[in-house]
Amino acid sequence: QVQLVESGGGLVQPGGSLRLSCAASGRTFSSYAMGWFRQAPGKEREFVAAISGEYGNTYYADSVKGRFTISRDNAKNTGWLQMNILKPEDTAVYVCAAGVAPHYGRTLIRDYEYKYWGQGTQVTVSS
């Protein structure tokens, strides 16, 4: 069982930055691939970024590539999503997720591959 708690959301102006955190419970955090998804009002949940349990392999949605960076520290049971050059279209509830991948170097990019989900944190990009 893994419990995930996000933090770090808020209101930011276009062009600004935010860093989201995802704190995980349990002693085997490195066993799980981690990902970030987002859902804007009236839209379906969409994949943002993923990182493997070990080796630091990452994968990004095209819409955030070059602006967002996903990272994790297994010793701290924590993952992060650094978001730079934010745009109004990035406004959404951001949710972190954890799932078991076929091997520790594999990223997961589909929501059905993730078993554990946090409650989400609101990110609003507006002037």
Side-chain angles (χ1 to χ4, degrees), residues 61-124:
D62 288 343
S63 58
V64 307
K65 200 173 297 182
R67 300 188 297 123
F68 290 11
T69 302
I70 188 172
S71 61
R72 66 189 293 163
D73 184 332
N74 289 336
K76 296 181 179 179
N77 278 16
T78 302
W80 298 273
L81 183 68
Q82 177 67 44
M83 306 185 295
N84 298 328
I85 318 175
L86 282 161
K87 305 175 182 180
E89 51 264 41
D90 293 319
T91 295
V93 175
Y94 283 72
V95 184
C96 69
V100 178
H103 59 80
Y104 288 163
R106 171 83 177 272
T107 55
L108 304 175
I109 64 173
R110 297 173 181 82
D111 57 3
Y112 62 79
E113 297 178 301
Y114 287 92
K115 184 175 182 179
Y116 303 105
W117 294 83
Q119 293 299 310
T121 184
Q122 175 70 45
V123 172
T124 302

Side-chain angles (χ1 to χ4, degrees), residues 4 6 25 36 123:
L4 304 170
E6 303 92 340
S25 64
W36 287 92
V123 172

